Amino acid sequence: MARIDVRKTYKLYIGGAFPRSESGYSYEVTDNKGKFVANASLASRKDVRDAVVAARKAFGPWSSRTAYNRGQILYRIAEVMEDRRPQFEEAVRQSEGGSAALARGQVDAAVDRLVWYAGWADKLAQVIGNANPVAGPFFNHTAPEPTGVVGVLAPQESSLLGLVSVVAPVIVTGNTAVVVSSYARPLPAVTFSEVLATSDVPGGVVNILTGDAAALGPWLAAHMDVNAIDLCGVAGSPELATSLEVAAADNLKRVRRAPAAEPDWALDPGLSPMTAFVEQKTVWHPIGI
Amino acid sequence: MPTTAPTDPAPGLTAYSEVTASEASLRRFLHGLPGVDQVGAEARAAGLGTRSIKTTAKAWALDLAIRMVDLTTLEGQDTPGKVRALASKALRPDPADPSCPSVAAVCVYGDLVGEVKAIVGDQVNVAAVATAFPSGRASMAVKLADTRDAVAGGADEIDMVIDRGAFLAGHYLQVFEEIVATREACVRPDGSHAHLKVIFETGELQTYDNVRRASWLAMLAGADFIKTSTGKVQPAATLPVTLVMLEAVRDFREATGVQIGVKPAGGIRTAKDAIKYLVMVNEVAGDDWLDPDWFRFGASTLLNDLLMQRTKMTTGRYSGPDYFTLD
């Protein structure tokens, strides 16, 4: 008798758990040739709400960990991803098409990118912070602090490298993230959430919703308990991006604006993905106390 | 809310005078009450919790829930300043929105009644916990003095605790007489009386049968409200416990014609929970109880969530805790 496959249910990742969408909806995910692959949960605005609550709850403990510890945890994510490379290669090739070698390159780059950001965890403050010379008997220094809960609309094209390249810089500095994955290519993001769940990342630090950035973006952008938003996922839709920026202005969210087109993720990202979501705190300190 | 004591006991209540005449008859009556089907009560409460309340009904329910809140602070660290801030919040829970109603009452320890009264005047009731709250472990003289103090201080409502030790030991008449005596201590010199809420601490009563017995005992003794918990013991208010108490007040009104209020307290933190309770009040006791005079929430953190949900309804976007006071 032929064995029946045990198929995976692709679910959301909220607060360290894998719930189905609150709405009960799911949608069909196809490979790049249009062939059915799986059903993914279609996140609703209430999943956004739940994810923000989870991210807010996780923010205090995560941001008060030492930078060194956060770096170690990011490095741990890279270790666990490395272990599951064949699975990621398969998922990336299925959703993005192209050769196996191309997919392997994407996965390698994603793991390397995590290691790169892990290294920055306890070095960013030295580079962008400062001891400021002032004309008075004071010691004055500036240091970066995490912004809070960051909404991330992940890139639509690059399903793994792009995702890692927008999530890692947000959490490495102590923020927590609510991520809306690529709509057409969500499966690598779901597998990535399984990696997060098994690599010492506290529940709620990263929450991954599979669904439509155009539908969920406005709720995330208008949410008064979200402190910043990365609009990368609506690159190429300037009108939508503008309306999200307007909604984000209500509580003075920091906005990382949508690029005109998705960037080449293989390039050196520079520091701006991290510096977009930190705030500089300057402290005046009387000398000698 | 009527604040004068009825001069004569309600006609339906006199039929029960024999029940409360002796320890033996009271025990016979309370143990003769039909038992609570635990699985059934929990399933019914869970089933009522699945009702979907949306749009205008939700807006109505949120406003009603705000009007039913007894905004509570019962900490050793309560300072006069903190209590005054809470009292101001009770008057105007959402300063950004004048259409937001006031809460029902502010619930504090007896010595802080004056602080609250100075802020809220007659616009919001002041409730004081008394009778050696929360344990109820003191002599009767001390408990009565505690109550008289709070009433003299201007409390509109007294939240008393029953002696759970005596109740669990089966000394029902002792508990009954304590409630009667406390009710007498609630009478003001002008003949009116402070409303008496009787706290059972259902988390310590062990069974739903005991909750039903305690409810009847307190109602026969003249409680104006029956209240689940002090908030100091886990579990505090739960839906099934409140269901049993709502059934008791419903049956009591059918039997005697006297309506008694219900107050779940402790553990109700979200607007969603509060709406579940309101659905249950409507389905079990009836819409006569959907009024701040007859149903209250003892809560502190609940109010902020109600306000956030209310803001979500009016602005169309999710609100956050940054925009409401920490208390």
Side-chain angles (χ1 to χ4, degrees):
Chain A
M1 201 174 83
R3 183 174 175 278
I4 300 171
D5 290 346
V6 178
R7 294 228 171 137
K8 185 160 95 179
T9 313
Y10 288 88
K11 298 198 277 190
L12 309 177
Y13 182 55
I14 298 174
F18 292 93
R20 289 184 170 79
S21 169
E22 184 274 346
S23 65
Y25 284 96
S26 56
Y27 68 105
E28 288 189 2
V29 177
T30 59
D31 66 13
N32 70 314
K33 296 194 180 67
K35 195 166 138 267
F36 175 80
V37 180
N39 289 306
S41 288
L42 182 63
S44 70
R45 67 176 171 89
K46 295 199 174 176
D47 297 310
V48 170
R49 174 198 65 186
D50 294 348
V52 172
V53 170
R56 174 60 62 196
K57 191 164 164 238
F59 175 68
W62 179 245
S63 60
S64 57
R65 285 189 186 230
T66 60
Y68 172 77
N69 183 243
R70 283 198 300 268
Q72 290 292 300
I73 289 175
L74 253 75
Y75 187 71
R76 175 78 182 154
I77 303 174
E79 284 177 4
V80 178
M81 264 185 89
E82 178 88 4
D83 212 31
R84 295 173 67 151
R85 272 173 56 196
Q87 193 188 354
F88 276 109
E89 283 166 22
E90 170 68 17
V92 169
R93 201 177 53 79
Q94 208 168 40
S95 58
E96 296 182 20
S99 66
L102 196 66
R104 198 175 310 126
Q106 293 280 303
V107 176
D108 289 351
V111 174
D112 293 351
R113 175 96 4 121
L114 273 165
V115 174
W116 189 76
Y117 276 118
W120 272 110
D122 53 2
K123 298 173 189 69
L124 189 70
Q126 293 93 309
V127 175
I128 67 168
N130 200 18
N132 310 311
V134 286
F138 301 104
F139 176 54
N140 180 297
H141 67 100
T142 300
E145 300 254 314
T147 293
V149 174
V150 180
V152 177
L153 304 180
Q156 300 298 329
E157 304 290 325
S158 180
S159 57
L160 184 67
L161 179 57
L163 176 79
V164 167
S165 301
V166 292
V167 173
V170 168
I171 61 171
V172 71
T173 54
N175 301 296
T176 55
V178 175
V179 184
V180 179
S181 75
S182 164
Y183 179 74
R185 302 169 174 179
L187 301 189
V190 178
T191 306
F192 182 60
S193 67
E194 290 158 10
V195 167
L196 293 171
T198 50
S199 51
D200 300 335
V201 182
V205 170
V206 182
N207 304 275
I208 296 184
L209 308 174
T210 52
D212 185 2
L216 301 177
W219 291 101
L220 208 46
H223 200 305
M224 299 296 274
D225 203 26
V226 173
N227 304 101
I229 190 164
D230 184 338
L231 298 179
C232 187
V234 295
S237 324
E239 282 173 20
L240 177 59
T242 306
S243 75
L244 293 181
E245 286 176 31
V246 170
D250 264 340
N251 73 334
L252 307 179
K253 272 186 199 66
R254 283 169 171 255
V255 174
R256 189 157 181 247
R257 303 185 71 184
E262 219 176 286
D264 178 0
W265 297 105
L267 300 176
D268 178 355
L271 296 187
S272 70
M274 286 182 284
T275 54
F277 301 116
V278 292
E279 295 169 10
Q280 297 286 16
K281 182 169 84 175
T282 296
V283 180
W284 293 73
H285 203 297
I287 288 175
I289 291 180
Chain B
M1 185 181 290
T3 48
T4 44
T7 43
D8 297 313
L13 211 50
T14 50
Y16 288 90
S17 57
E18 270 183 27
V19 165
T20 56
S22 72
E23 181 80 58
S25 60
L26 189 57
R27 170 190 300 274
R28 211 161 36 241
F29 173 75
L30 292 177
H31 285 260
L33 288 169
V36 180
D37 170 4
Q38 181 184 345
V39 175
E42 283 167 4
R44 173 86 172 132
L48 288 172
T50 62
R51 298 278 175 91
S52 181
I53 307 293
K54 301 289 182 206
T55 62
T56 49
K58 186 177 178 189
W60 184 84
L62 289 174
D63 274 13
L64 180 63
I66 292 172
R67 286 169 51 220
M68 285 176 166
V69 167
D70 276 9
L71 196 55
T72 304
T73 180
L74 297 167
E75 307 286 338
Q77 58 188 353
D78 286 347
T79 58
K82 186 186 166 198
V83 168
R84 280 200 298 272
L86 199 74
S88 308
K89 184 172 182 177
L91 278 180
R92 293 194 61 190
D94 186 354
D97 182 358
S99 71
C100 180
S102 303
V103 304
V106 181
C107 184
V108 292
Y109 275 112
D111 58 329
L112 292 164
V113 167
E115 294 289 346
V116 181
K117 203 80 190 161
I119 303 282
V120 300
D122 294 328
Q123 299 179 55
V124 168
N125 282 343
V126 184
V129 295
T131 70
F133 182 93
S135 65
R137 298 245 81 95
S139 77
M140 202 53 217
V142 172
K143 290 183 185 180
L144 292 180
D146 194 8
T147 310
R148 284 194 202 99
D149 242 24
V151 174
D156 303 294
E157 303 171 4
I158 296 293
D159 288 28
M160 72 168 286
V161 289
I162 63 167
D163 184 341
R164 279 88 73 188
F167 182 89
L168 290 172
H171 302 148
Y172 298 129
L173 198 62
Q174 182 191 335
V175 178
F176 179 84
E177 280 165 357
E178 280 192 14
I179 299 173
V180 171
T182 311
R183 184 177 163 86
E184 279 160 12
C186 288
V187 176
R188 303 192 189 93
D190 66 1
S192 63
H193 80 283
H195 264 229
L196 181 65
K197 304 199 197 100
V198 179
I199 305 172
F200 300 148
E201 197 66 289
T202 50
E204 294 183 346
L205 293 189
Q206 317 295 345
T207 66
Y208 293 132
D209 286 348
N210 275 342
V211 173
R212 178 170 282 175
R213 286 174 196 143
S215 302
W216 276 84
L217 181 67
M219 291 188 292
L220 288 171
D224 296 302
F225 255 86
I226 52 178
K227 174 174 167 183
T228 58
S229 346
T230 59
K232 306 284 184 199
V233 169
Q234 290 301 327
T238 63
L239 281 167
V241 155
T242 313
L243 176 87
V244 171
M245 288 166 61
L246 284 165
E247 286 175 347
V249 295
R250 176 197 65 195
D251 296 346
F252 189 75
R253 190 175 73 166
E254 263 173 33
T256 65
V258 180
Q259 188 169 347
I260 306 287
V262 178
K263 174 178 171 184
I268 309 167
R269 291 198 178 81
T270 64
K272 198 173 230 174
D273 284 346
I275 290 175
K276 286 180 189 173
Y277 277 92
L278 293 182
V279 169
M280 202 166 70
V281 170
N282 191 53
E283 296 295 317
V284 176
D287 57 4
D288 286 353
W289 270 268
L290 278 182
D291 186 288
D293 284 353
W294 301 112
F295 194 79
R296 295 278 183 84
F297 292 108
S300 41
T301 48
L302 169 65
L303 182 59
N304 272 1
D305 198 55
L306 286 169
L307 294 175
M308 276 194 269
Q309 293 300 321
R310 197 175 183 280
T311 310
K312 156 74 177 61
M313 302 283 296
T314 50
T315 61
R317 64 180 178 216
Y318 288 115
S319 191
D322 286 356
Y323 301 90
F324 298 93
T325 56
L326 285 172
D327 38 33

